[in-house]
Amino acid sequence: MSHALVLNAGSSSLKFGLFRGRHPGLMAGGQVERIGGAAVLHLRDGAGTHLVDTALPDHAAADHAGALAAVLHEITGRFPDARIAAVGHRVVHGGMDYAEPTRITPEVLHALEKLEPFAPLHQPHNLAGIRAALKAFPEARQVACFDTGFHRNHPFVNDTFALPRAYYDKGVRRYGFHGLSYDYIAGKLAEMAPTLHAGRVVVAHLGNGASMCGLSAGRSIASSMGFSALDGLPMGTRSGQLDPGAVLYLMQSEGMKAEEISDLLYRKSGLLGLSGISSDMRTLLASDAPGARQAIDYFCFRIRRELGGLAAALEGLDAVVFTGGIGENAASIRAQVCRGLHWVGIELDDDRNAANDTVISTEMSRVRVLVIPTNEELVIARAAMQEIGDLT
């Protein structure tokens, strides 16, 4: 039986999953954290039982290649019969040319390298994971799955900026991100609530990276993120929506260089910048500091504001889905977001919300509110197995 390895390479992390079978089942998964520093490897089996939680020696995780080698050492030792025939990779940006899962060739890899300026926080590390996997599995099919792909059929008005048309033709347009997550949620809705899937749904993917997407009959109509993964909601360390005039001010009046502004907007803003405490929502929720409260209030306000805009783009609203680390686990954030949304037809059931039920709205709520855990790795595994013909 063929197996697929799924890799999701971040700036200092490597998430992974080992799948098998025609309908991919998870055998093991986990991540390496703090690559290049005090790296730690976490491994659990398909049932979620922890198998490994161990610090790695400096030489074993100095880079993504070393992290992958440490992962493979554990996987091959515990699953010696695993035959990895395909490796699926999350790639944040596919640009104008790549939307569907694509087999990685030297030409494709070169084209994806040209997109690094479009997603500087993610794309270089995604590609580092690909290069490491190409060396480790030279005979396996390597498949790229794109976070932007799910949004590539937006109507023109949700795909463009009011700049001269030449820039749109060069690729300066709204791409949208977290597409693998939205793809999974759309598929899950089709299984569990086909009537809602056929309607108008806003999905809130809330985590260290956060965005929202408007779905009509399971297709992306509009997204809160635009040209880059900076736009829209405030995130752990990213600013979210920002007047471009503020960037001009930072350049002209503060004398900041492009690299300094990039560092500010990607790494020092968002929840961290607003609170002055932490980028982690769990830390902020546990804090009594005024800055923590203000950061949470702004985060929830922006979610409500984006929800109103997406409902307008969809010309109505039938359901809201919370997903991602914060969306799935932070009941108080869901409650604060939904508070004051009676006008749009949302009535939250406090008991269901506190219990993290799948449906957290009341029976009388005109708009259904759901909590659905996302599974980007499964979307990638399916695409990888499809590439080798093991998925019907």
Side-chain angles (χ1 to χ4, degrees), residues 231-243:
D231 202 6
L233 302 178
M235 294 162 249
T237 62
R238 283 174 262 168
S239 64
Q241 185 273 331
L242 184 71
D243 182 341

Side-chain angles (χ1 to χ4, degrees), residues 34-106:
R34 298 192 292 274
I35 295 173
V40 179
L41 187 152
H42 305 284
L43 176 68
R44 62 186 184 279
D45 64 19
T49 302
H50 287 273
L51 302 177
V52 176
D53 290 288
T54 185
L56 298 178
D58 292 343
H59 69 275
D63 53 26
H64 287 79
L68 180 58
V71 168
L72 296 180
H73 176 76
E74 290 292 341
I75 287 179
T76 56
R78 293 174 183 274
F79 305 96
D81 296 329
R83 184 175 68 86
I84 297 175
V87 184
H89 302 268
R90 178 197 178 208
V91 177
V92 165
H93 217 302
M96 295 185 292
D97 298 323
Y98 297 102
E100 299 300 320
T102 302
R103 185 178 178 182
I104 298 168
T105 64

Side-chain angles (χ1 to χ4, degrees), residues 39-239:
V40 179
L41 187 152
H42 305 284
L43 176 68
R44 62 186 184 279
D45 64 19
T49 302
H50 287 273
L51 302 177
V52 176
D53 290 288
T54 185
L56 298 178
D58 292 343
H59 69 275
D63 53 26
H64 287 79
L68 180 58
V71 168
L72 296 180
H73 176 76
E74 290 292 341
I75 287 179
T76 56
R78 293 174 183 274
F79 305 96
D81 296 329
R83 184 175 68 86
I84 297 175
V87 184
H89 302 268
R90 178 197 178 208
V91 177
V92 165
H93 217 302
M96 295 185 292
D97 298 323
Y98 297 102
E100 299 300 320
T102 302
R103 185 178 178 182
I104 298 168
T105 64
E107 292 76 19
V108 169
L109 185 58
H110 180 64
L112 297 180
E113 288 171 347
K114 292 183 178 180
L115 296 173
E116 288 186 0
F118 287 54
L121 197 66
H122 299 88
Q123 197 86 349
H125 308 295
N126 298 156
L127 302 187
I130 290 175
R131 295 187 192 97
L134 286 169
K135 292 180 180 178
F137 304 101
E139 302 301 321
R141 296 285 182 93
Q142 307 275 341
V143 182
C145 298
F146 303 100
D147 255 346
T148 51
F150 188 69
H151 306 290
R152 291 316 308 132
N153 292 310
H154 278 178
F156 175 77
V157 294
N158 290 333
D159 199 43
T160 192
F161 299 106
L163 295 171
R165 182 58 182 259
Y167 292 101
Y168 179 84
D169 295 335
K170 292 178 180 179
V172 181
R173 55 180 71 183
R174 299 183 64 88
Y175 289 97
F177 298 88
H178 291 133
L180 298 172
S181 176
Y182 295 127
D183 189 0
Y184 177 82
I185 296 299
K188 199 67 177 176
L189 271 179
E191 293 175 12
M192 60 188 290
T195 301
L196 291 181
H197 174 268
R200 300 156 299 184
V201 180
V202 169
V203 183
H205 177 107
L206 308 178
N208 188 55
S211 70
M212 296 172 68
C213 178
L215 302 179
S216 177
R219 293 170 61 89
S220 175
I221 297 300
S223 170
S224 63
M225 281 183 169
F227 174 73
S228 73
L230 275 175
D231 202 6
L233 302 178
M235 294 162 249
T237 62
R238 283 174 262 168
S239 64

Side-chain angles (χ1 to χ4, degrees), residues 254-268:
E254 296 291 325
M256 295 179 69
K257 305 293 186 183
E259 295 80 6
E260 295 174 295
I261 295 174
S262 177
D263 187 55
L264 172 69
L265 300 183
Y266 275 105
R267 298 179 178 87
K268 296 178 179 177

